[in-house]
Every structure is written in structure tokens, then in C-alpha cells.
Amino acid sequence: MLKFNNDIIHGAIFDMDGTMFDTERLRFQTLKQASQELIGVSFSDAYLMACLGLSASSAHQLAKQQYGDDIPYAEIRQRADELELESVRSLGVPIKKGLVQVLERLRKSGLRMAVATSSRRLIAEEYLINANVYKFFDVLVCGDEVQKGKPHPEIFLSAAEKLNLPTSECLMFEDSENGITSAYNAGGVTILLQDIKEPNSNMLAKTDYFFESMYDCLHQLDQHTLNLEMPTLQESFPQSLNQLTVGIHGFGAIGGGFMAQILSHWDGYTRPKRIYASTHNSLYRSAVNAFGSYCIRYGQLSYDERIENMHIIDAGNIEQMQEMYIASSMIAVCLPEQAIATEARTIAQGLYARHIANNEQFTNPLTVLIILNKIGAKHLLLEHVHSALVEITAPDIAEQILEQHYFCDTVVNRMVSKLTDQNLYRQLRIKYNIFKQYQLDHDLDHADIEDATRLNPEQEKLASMYVEEMCSNFKPSHILQTMDLILFHAEVDMPIYVENNSPLLGKMRQMVLVDDIQEIQLIKNRLWNGVHAMTTWYATRLGYETIGLAMADPKVREFMEGLLEEVKAGLTLTLPHRKNDLDDLAKSFINSCVNAYKDPCERVARDPLRKLAASERVLGSIACNIQQGLPYQNLSQGALYGYYYSIQQKDISYGEAIEHLKIQLGQSGLNEQHQQTLQRNIETQLAQLLPAKHKTHNPHCVDLAKQMDHSLT
């Protein structure tokens, strides 16, 4: 929050061209050149000035009035885009002086940040990444994503809505008459920064604050932002390397976005000389190994944390995996539950290879952290690994190998999401062009970037070429050292709760050692995991793609808060000594979700039937509350949305969903009356929610519909 003069501010929304970047003059030049090439006449300054802040469609209409109805405006605009990108890729984005300082102060004041630009998304992303300011913004709303361009307020209203803020609590930065009109009509606190056009009386009348330069704005802002104390959060990793090697079995979101950071901080004095991490993703593997590092982005702080000293290995290469298990003192197993059965054999082979390398002596124990996000994770892992070891060696040797090592259950509090292959490809392409310009070489022909997850064959080929050429030219002090790849988005929660079961854990800086880890697992499973899943099932039904965007909807926020209250009530009676922990974790969870703009709902919502099992996060909370006479209406709705999501995703049919529910309730420990009541409620509501196509071919559903009709008559 920022108190700016008499206004209480929680958000900031920036126009891009002319406000953050000095691109309006460049745009004038490229449009003049493009129009001269295509129609033989350069656009006039008067026309270009009139277009400032207009959407493409509005500028097109104005061009028709001045240059005729048959003007090839789209082709002129496309050619101007090409010329502008050539300039930007060659010379960089011309940033307004003082911009980064302003962005830093606003972000460190706790503001949520957005860009509202008339430019197309691909252009906007290119500029923001090139200028290295993309990290400051939670939301990007572009001209090709709104129906009405400036001066209509839609783009600012949309940005504020996605930030989950009223427009009256947002600073809105603009440079043009159309832009300031848009911000004014949206109801924001308007800030006008002078660019090409001298502000007229109409512009000033709609402006709350006018500054001739970004530095003038910075000077005013300095008077309202706190002087920061000595830094503590963005503390660098220890510089000294010890003699330990550690491993991460699974370079996914938690593995690469959390455990790598924990292992790099280590005990605060030294850090391991090497961190192995395994993945099946060849693009991530080659990119990290080529650059020698990658970054984790903490969006709430606009802070990129660089992870170094990592060696990414092929999870499918058994020799490399065995080497990791032989050399490491600690390994974090960061795998989804469904992967445990298949990966157990690799773990077993690694442990057996370590046994052979130690001359079959039971010495040098390994500490294994089990990062599985599940109650009873250690039992599940050991069960599968034991079975796999028995296939390799004698049963007594298998038992001794498992008894020798320290297996520790954990609870992770941080939310982390992995960027898609397409996002990594986009970063590689942009950084490659910067690299090529640095090398003073020829420009590369660009393939169009699709917004899907997987790469097409041409993109795979280009991505490999980008990595190989940049890797072969990498040298100390090279420009590539400043071109970090962002692989993960993470929240700021620092600790990991670990079962106190190994002498190696005592000094670990970010580990909270717990004697009874099952209590923390139960809280995490129900209060975070269960509520998270149910909220995203509901948010997905409403059409939201990420958690942060969904939280802008009051219905989603109210549903989540209702779930939290019901789960907290049940856990308070079960674990009364953890009441304060429950309140703190609930607040932390809401804060994480509100800021999770990069966390896809699809990631959290996946595998609903597993999460709806009798002993799992949803039905476990429902059974707990029913047995203790506590409210469970929101929880029942959450289960309903889980089955609805599963049917809509075509995992199961309606009849299979009801059968699954019946079986799980039978294993829940509830008496028969409670089972029947809960099943009937969910079954009835599910039938009402589903489209007809899901029910017409299902006899069970047809019978239910007839019963409902009969009861109504």
C-alpha cells in the first residue's frame, strides 16, 4: 500500500509507448517510412499526432478519412512493426530515464502492477522483455485483447479487474490525450507524463498529477515511499563452496523452483560444490547447461534469483542417475504421485549402485527428502522402492539398504509454477537476437510463435540451434552472462518443514525440523491442497486460466474463504494446539493465491479423482466436519465441482463419477445415513450442472431426472 498525497494506492497501471518507452518518435519514423514504401506518401505529422493513444481500428478509420478508403493500412502497420522491431533488436528499447527507479519504488511499496497498452501482445512482450522490466508486472492487457481502444476506458478497467482492485486505488500512467481520457473515464488516479505532444487544457483537466519527465515523477514519489533498512530478503547465496554434492530427482516446479534455492542457501556459510538435477525435458536440460544458470522469478517482489552450480542430467539415462545417487549426500525426490511407481526402479538402481560403489559396506548414509505433497508419502515411496530393490538384489540386502539411509517426509509451503516450453522458446528467440546483434552478425529469419505449450518441429530445431550457438560462443564476461533464462515463477514463502530424521538437517537454513510431520502434512493437505483444488475446479468452471485472475472474481474469493473457514473449524478440533498455525497458514495461502497470476488453474485442478479419494484432501475434510457436527456446505460444493471438472475433461462419464463417489464415501468412515445424504446432494446438483449431452446416454442419470420431475409434481 502507498499513501500518495491524499490517495490510498494499491495498484499501478502503465501505458507502454510514450510513457515507459520513448518509442513514439521511433513509431512516427517507421510509419512514415512504411507508408512511403507502400503508397508513395509519408504519413503527416498531424495525422500521426492525432493517432496517439488510438487503437489500430480507430487509427485505420482516421487514415481512410485522410488517405482514402482503399489505403492498405494493415500492410503499412505490419511493415512499420517490422522496421520498429529491427531498430529495437539492433539498438534496444529506448527506456524513459527514471522508469526503473519508479517501478522499483512502487513494487517495494507492495503495489500490484499492470501494463495497459494499445500494442499487440507479441510486440508488447518483446519490448518488455528486451527492456528487462517485464518482471515488475503481474498483468499485461493489450490492444488486440479489448473490444474498444482508447479513449474508451475498457483497457484500464480490464487491467484493474485482473489486479482485483477498484480503479480508484490505482495510479494510471499515460502520455497521450486519448490515454489520459481512457484512464480518467476508468476512474483512476491519473498521472500524465509529457512526451511528444504538449498537454492541452482538456488533458490537464483530466489529470491528477502532471510531470514533464519521469524523473520529476520519481522525485514526487520519493516523498511518499519509505527509506528501506538493510536488505535481508534478497540475500545472496554463500560464496564459498563445500565438498558436498547434492541431487534433485525431478527438475520440475518444486525441484527447480524451490529445492534448488534451498540447497543453494544450504547452511548460510557454504553451499554444495555441485547440484545435480534430473529431467526428461531436453529443452530445459540443454538451455540450463548451456547458460550455466537460470532464474526463479518472485513476481510479488519483481526479483529474479539466479541459480548456479547446477548440472542438469537426463532422467532417462540410468548411468547419469546412478552417478547422482552415488555422489550425493542429500537427494530431494520431487516427483508427482503418479510417477512414483515408474521412478521407484530408478531410485532403487541408484541406491544399489551406491551400495556397490561403497564395496557393499553399509556406510556413508544418504539423506532422502521426499517432496510428494501427500500424507503418508514416505510409506508410499518406500513400499515401491522396496519392491524394486527386491527385483535387483536379495530381500535381506534390500532391507539393509533402506535401513541404512535417512528417509524424511516434508511439507512444502511455497507455490511454484514452471514456464511452458513455448515461454522458454520465446525467451531463447529474443535473447538469441540480442546475442546476434552483439556479435554484429546477420539477422535471423523468425518463425511465428504460437501460444500453445508444445513446440512444433521448426521451433524445436530453432531452439536447439539457439542453445548450441550461444553455448559455443559463451565466454567469461560475455553478454550472455546477463541474459538469464526465467524458468519458474515462485511465491515468497521460504521454509520447508522436514521430518527430524537425519543429522545432516540440523544446520539447514530454510528447514524447519518437525518431530511429528504428519500434523503438518494433515494441515497442508486439507487447508492448502484441498482448498486449492476445490477453488480451481470452481474457477475453471467460470472460465479462468490462472489463480490470480480468478481471485479478482468476488464469487471465487468468497467460495475460497468459506472453504478455509470450514476446514479450519475441523482441524482446530482435531489439532487444538495448532490453532495459531492454522490462522497464519490460511492468511499466507490467500496472499499466495491473490498474487498467483502465473499459476495455471489447469496445473492445480489436474487429477481430480485422486484428490477426491476417501483419505484425501476433500472427502477427508468433509468426513471430519460431519462427524464433529460442523458446517460442510462449501466443502460439499467443492467435491461437486471436482466431479464436474472430471466429467468435463472427459476423464469419466456421469455414471462413473457417481460410482466413484459411492465407493469413496463407503471408505470414508461415515455412517450409512450421512453417506446417502451427501451422495444424494452431490448427485442431484451434478445432474443439474451437466449439459444434456453428458446425461442422455446414461440410464442412471435418466432415472435420476425422472425422480426429480416426479418429486416436483
Side-chain angles (χ1 to χ4, degrees):
M1 188 272 289
L2 173 70
K3 186 175 182 181
F4 191 69
N5 293 318
N6 295 321
D7 295 301
I8 302 300
I9 303 299
H10 288 92
I13 305 175
F14 283 77
D15 172 56
M16 190 176 75
D17 294 304
T19 301
M20 291 194 291
F21 306 144
D22 195 13
T23 48
E24 296 291 14
R25 292 175 180 82
L26 174 60
R27 188 64 174 171
F28 277 26
Q29 295 170 11
T30 58
L31 282 169
K32 285 183 177 182
Q33 181 178 339
S35 58
Q36 181 67 44
E37 290 178 6
L38 294 176
I39 64 174
V41 177
S42 295
F43 283 157
S44 68
D45 287 337
Y47 164 74
L48 294 171
M49 291 290 283
C51 288
L52 288 176
L54 288 183
S55 66
S57 59
S58 298
H60 187 186
Q61 293 303 316
L62 190 58
K64 285 183 177 181
Q65 296 174 17
Q66 298 197 23
Y67 298 99
D69 289 340
D70 60 346
I71 183 172
Y73 182 80
E75 290 79 5
I76 293 174
R77 183 179 171 89
Q78 181 177 354
R79 177 56 180 154
D81 287 347
E82 294 170 356
L83 293 170
E84 190 172 331
L85 282 175
E86 288 175 11
S87 175
V88 165
R89 288 166 178 164
S90 174
L91 303 175
V93 177
I95 300 175
K96 290 288 185 76
K97 293 181 179 179
L99 171 67
V100 175
Q101 294 96 311
V102 168
L103 295 177
E104 283 276 14
R105 280 159 178 74
L106 293 175
R107 184 55 115 176
K108 289 186 178 179
S109 297
L111 270 61
R112 302 175 199 171
M113 311 272 280
V115 174
T117 175
S118 297
S119 296
R120 294 182 294 118
R121 175 168 285 273
L122 284 179
I123 298 294
E125 287 186 339
E126 173 109 9
Y127 282 26
L128 293 166
I129 292 173
N130 190 304
N132 198 30
V133 296
Y134 204 9
K135 62 186 176 184
F136 289 103
F137 298 103
D138 301 304
V139 167
L140 174 59
V141 182
C142 300
D144 53 352
E145 299 167 349
V146 294
Q147 296 298 317
K148 299 178 181 179
K150 302 172 185 178
H152 192 278
E154 180 185 359
I155 195 165
F156 281 105
L157 293 172
S158 176
E161 180 183 11
K162 290 184 177 182
L163 291 176
N164 195 16
L165 291 172
T167 56
S168 60
E169 296 180 4
C170 294
L171 297 175
M172 296 183 179
F173 293 79
E174 267 289 354
D175 70 293
S176 69
E177 183 166 5
N178 287 316
I180 205 69
T181 300
S182 175
Y184 175 82
N185 290 338
V189 179
T190 56
I191 294 180
L192 178 63
L193 295 159
Q194 185 171 324
D195 190 42
I196 295 177
K197 191 173 184 178
E198 186 95 13
N200 56 39
S201 58
N202 182 51
M203 295 170 68
L204 294 174
K206 298 173 182 177
T207 299
D208 293 309
Y209 304 96
F210 168 66
F211 302 105
E212 292 185 350
S213 72
M214 188 69 76
Y215 271 126
D216 291 338
C217 178
L218 175 63
H219 177 71
Q220 178 75 6
L221 190 60
D222 266 340
Q223 301 175 37
H224 301 279
T225 51
L226 298 175
N227 292 329
L228 299 179
E229 298 179 356
M230 296 298 290
T232 56
L233 185 59
Q234 288 100 349
E235 189 174 334
S236 60
F237 297 133
Q239 298 300 304
S240 300
L241 303 180
N242 58 40
Q243 295 303 305
L244 297 179
T245 294
V246 295
I248 300 173
H249 189 144
F251 185 66
I254 292 298
F258 189 31
M259 289 310 304
Q261 187 243 29
I262 288 177
L263 297 176
S264 295
H265 272 302
W266 202 246
D267 61 1
Y269 298 99
T270 63
R271 57 176 168 154
K273 65 180 181 181
R274 168 167 287 192
I275 303 175
Y276 284 106
S278 66
T279 179
H280 291 283
N281 189 315
S282 59
L283 182 59
Y284 275 66
R285 187 168 62 246
S286 59
V288 174
N289 288 339
F291 280 81
S293 66
Y294 68 94
C295 277
I296 304 167
R297 173 158 292 173
Y298 300 88
Q300 290 168 264
L301 304 174
S302 301
Y303 173 59
D304 296 341
E305 186 170 53
R306 180 186 289 183
I307 306 294
E308 299 175 323
N309 287 357
M310 289 199 67
H311 181 61
I312 312 298
I313 62 176
D314 183 358
N317 187 315
I318 191 59
E319 289 79 12
Q320 292 181 8
M321 295 297 292
Q322 288 177 347
E323 172 59 28
M324 179 176 74
Y325 273 86
I326 292 171
S328 297
S329 299
M330 178 186 294
I331 289 181
V333 177
C334 305
L335 299 171
E337 182 180 346
Q338 58 269 28
I340 292 297
T342 54
E343 290 295 316
R345 181 169 180 80
T346 299
I347 298 172
Q349 289 175 321
L351 294 175
Y352 186 68
R354 185 185 182 95
H355 176 61
I356 298 300
N358 289 329
N359 297 318
E360 301 187 9
Q361 300 298 311
F362 292 100
T363 59
N364 191 21
L366 174 67
T367 296
V368 180
L369 303 179
I370 304 165
I371 322 290
L372 194 55
N373 199 22
K374 177 182 175 64
I375 296 175
K378 181 164 73 171
H379 175 77
L380 176 67
L381 179 74
L382 289 177
E383 184 178 35
H384 283 289
V385 173
H386 179 266
S387 298
L389 275 171
V390 170
E391 295 178 5
I392 298 172
T393 186
D396 60 328
I397 300 297
E399 293 281 356
Q400 292 173 3
I401 288 175
L402 293 181
E403 289 174 1
Q404 176 200 7
H405 302 298
Y406 302 110
F407 292 88
C408 308
D409 255 331
T410 68
V411 172
V412 173
N413 226 24
R414 179 186 291 182
M415 293 184 187
V416 185
S417 59
K418 184 174 72 171
L419 273 68
T420 64
D421 286 358
Q422 281 289 339
N423 193 294
L424 176 55
Y425 172 75
R426 184 176 301 153
Q427 291 185 69
L428 285 170
R429 193 204 69 171
I430 293 170
K431 295 173 190 296
Y432 177 76
N433 283 302
I434 297 173
F435 161 70
K436 292 299 291 182
Q437 180 60 35
Y438 178 83
Q439 294 291 89
L440 299 178
D441 206 339
H442 62 278
D443 289 331
L444 180 72
D445 291 333
H446 308 294
D448 289 335
I449 299 179
E450 299 174 0
D451 225 357
T453 298
R454 297 183 63 83
L455 304 185
N456 61 42
E458 181 182 4
Q459 290 173 331
E460 290 181 351
K461 181 179 178 181
L462 285 172
S464 298
M465 185 270 288
Y466 295 159
V467 171
E468 290 176 7
E469 186 165 348
M470 287 190 287
C471 183
S472 65
N473 285 277
F474 186 88
K475 297 177 181 177
S477 302
H478 198 281
I479 187 175
L480 290 181
Q481 287 190 325
T482 65
M483 296 164 61
D484 296 311
L485 293 172
I486 311 299
L487 297 190
F488 305 97
H489 287 286
E491 300 302 317
V492 297
D493 291 298
M494 298 294 279
I496 179 173
Y497 297 89
V498 182
E499 181 183 14
N500 190 8
N501 196 33
S502 166
L504 190 59
L505 305 177
K507 291 287 186 180
M508 296 299 98
R509 197 169 187 191
Q510 288 180 246
M511 295 185 185
V512 178
L513 302 186
V514 180
D515 291 328
D516 190 353
I517 194 69
Q518 291 187 351
E519 288 186 354
I520 307 298
Q521 286 179 328
L522 180 63
I523 293 172
K524 173 70 186 305
N525 186 260
R526 293 186 183 176
L527 191 68
W528 276 54
N529 299 346
V531 173
H532 209 191
M534 288 182 278
T535 302
T536 53
W537 291 333
Y538 180 48
T540 302
R541 180 172 178 265
L542 297 181
Y544 293 106
E545 294 183 357
T546 72
I547 308 298
L549 294 178
M551 291 297 288
D553 189 330
K555 298 191 296 295
V556 176
R557 180 69 175 257
E558 182 180 358
F559 179 59
M560 172 185 283
E561 291 174 348
L563 288 170
L564 287 171
E565 288 304 312
E566 290 180 359
V567 174
K568 281 170 56 181
L571 288 172
T572 298
L573 290 182
T574 305
L575 303 170
H577 56 290
R578 293 286 185 184
K579 185 180 186 306
N580 291 335
D581 295 328
L582 294 172
D583 292 335
D584 291 342
L585 287 170
K587 291 177 183 177
S588 176
F589 174 68
I590 291 177
N591 185 58
S592 294
C593 289
V594 165
N595 290 282
Y597 290 100
K598 305 297 191 297
D599 196 6
C601 288
E602 184 180 12
R603 180 189 71 81
V604 183
R606 68 182 185 271
D607 201 8
L609 294 185
R610 177 177 62 84
K611 296 169 183 175
L612 288 164
S615 60
E616 266 291 348
R617 57 205 75 183
V618 176
L619 291 185
S621 290
I622 293 176
C624 173
N625 283 29
I626 289 176
Q627 290 166 344
Q628 299 185 84
L630 297 170
Y632 64 94
Q633 287 79 7
N634 288 292
L635 287 165
S636 177
Q637 286 293 115
L640 165 70
Y641 294 134
Y643 282 111
Y644 177 83
Y645 179 86
S646 186
I647 293 171
Q648 291 294 98
Q649 296 301 310
K650 300 180 181 179
D651 292 341
I652 57 173
S653 66
Y654 173 86
E656 290 169 330
I658 299 305
E659 184 64 23
H660 180 275
L661 173 63
K662 182 178 180 181
I663 292 172
Q664 301 310 313
L665 289 176
Q667 300 172 359
S668 66
L670 293 172
N671 63 42
E672 187 172 343
Q673 180 181 352
H674 285 143
Q675 291 180 40
Q676 292 176 353
T677 300
L678 186 59
Q679 180 178 337
R680 183 168 57 250
N681 289 341
I682 294 177
E683 190 172 354
T684 301
Q685 294 180 74
L686 187 59
Q688 294 170 338
L689 285 179
L690 287 171
K693 65 180 181 179
H694 287 289
K695 297 179 289 189
T696 53
H697 300 295
N698 191 300
H700 186 87
C701 190
V702 172
D703 290 342
L704 175 63
K706 291 179 179 178
Q707 293 172 20
M708 291 172 61
D709 291 340
H710 179 72
S711 64
L712 290 173
T713 58

